[in-house]
Every structure is written in C-alpha cells, then in structure tokens.
Amino acid sequence: MNLAQLLNEVNKNTEAYNLAKDVYEFQMKKLGNSHIDTIYSQQILARILTDLQRTEEAINLAKLAVQYSQKFIAQGLRSSEFVKSYFTLAKIYQKNGQYQLAIDNFLEIIDNNLVNQDSVNYAVLISSTAKLYDEINDFENAQKYYIC
C-alpha cells in the first residue's frame, strides 16, 4: 500500500489505483473486511479514487472504513487507523465541497475524544475544523476552533 500511496503522490494515479485495488482485494480475502490492515487499505484506495475524480466510489469506500472502525471504537480500541477513517472521509467530503459533512466527521473525532489533545494530530484536526467553518462562513464556530 505504501507504493500505491507513493505512485499517487507523483500523479501516477491509475497505476496507484491498480496496485491499491489488488492489495485491498487480497486483504479482504485473507484478512476479512474488518481487519485493521483492510481498513487502512480502504482509506488509501478511497484517497486514490478521489484523485481519479471517482468521488462517489471514494465516499462509499471511506464510509465502509468508518463503519468497520466504529465497531472497534465501540469496544474501546483507539488505533490511529480507526480515527483516520473519519479523517479520510472528511477530507473527501471537503474536496467535493460537502463542507458540513466534512465538519460532521471531524466533530465525531473531537466529540468522542478519539485523538489525544496533546498530540500534533489534534492540532491538525482542530485547524482543519476551523478552516471548514470558515469555508461555510460560520465564523462563530471557526473562532471556537481557532482559539483551541
């Protein structure tokens, strides 16, 4: 999956997609849909699909990653991969101009304390949330998150 990410970063999106899809399908067969590695692959594949302008497929796959992650989170497991599933879905919504849906996913992470407030990831999350509120001209909420 790392190679697929690298290919995507250098705009070899179709090659990245083909590789990521093969890895994802292999993992689904061998590990199952709800394995942490499969969830990770769902996120990577969703990001690649977004870059290929296949937004609906990307959203559906990212939603699937969130769905499987929720089962682990409900059990008290707090792997970063589970949190990233929400972040990935939020970023796809943001790229697609669906700002409120993106905010909802960021708030899911914040409101459920899924990220340690002392981590760098929390700062990125808060900043991303504030910027999204700015995008929809909700300056009152944006200010709340800029102040955090």
Side-chain angles (χ1 to χ4, degrees):
M1 236 355 130
N2 291 340
L3 179 57
Q5 281 183 286
L6 181 61
L7 288 168
N8 198 53
E9 287 176 19
V10 295
N11 294 320
K12 294 187 177 191
N13 308 85
T14 302
E15 290 175 59
Y17 170 76
N18 291 331
L19 179 59
K21 184 175 181 248
D22 288 347
V23 170
Y24 173 62
E25 288 173 352
F26 178 81
Q27 287 176 325
M28 282 182 25
K29 286 180 189 173
K30 297 293 181 183
L31 303 173
N33 289 339
S34 61
H35 189 277
I36 190 169
D37 291 337
T38 308
I39 292 169
Y40 172 74
S41 295
Q42 289 167 334
Q43 296 169 47
I44 301 304
L45 188 53
R47 291 180 203 148
I48 293 168
L49 285 165
T50 300
D51 290 340
L52 288 169
Q53 309 297 314
R54 294 168 61 178
T55 306
E56 188 174 325
E57 289 175 80
I59 289 171
N60 289 335
L61 194 58
K63 281 182 178 179
L64 190 61
V66 167
Q67 177 185 337
Y68 288 124
S69 294
Q70 286 172 336
K71 293 177 185 178
F72 289 101
I73 291 168
Q75 297 171 7
L77 300 172
R78 295 284 195 264
S79 169
S80 64
E81 291 312 321
F82 305 141
V83 175
K84 285 179 191 174
S85 64
Y86 285 99
F87 196 85
T88 296
L89 183 56
K91 293 306 262 182
I92 293 168
Y93 281 138
Q94 182 180 6
K95 280 186 177 182
N96 198 42
Q98 295 172 287
Y99 300 120
Q100 189 57 56
L101 290 171
I103 289 168
D104 292 345
N105 277 274
F106 284 145
L107 292 180
E108 186 72 26
I109 299 168
I110 295 166
D111 294 345
N112 290 303
N113 298 312
L114 300 179
V115 174
N116 183 333
Q117 292 185 9
D118 295 330
S119 76
V120 171
N121 293 334
Y122 189 76
V124 170
L125 177 63
I126 293 299
S127 174
S128 297
T129 304
K131 288 176 185 175
L132 279 168
Y133 276 121
D134 270 348
E135 293 275 344
I136 62 171
N137 297 320
D138 184 345
F139 303 117
E140 184 177 328
N141 277 314
Q143 186 177 20
K144 286 181 202 175
Y145 289 97
Y146 279 127
I147 292 174
C148 289

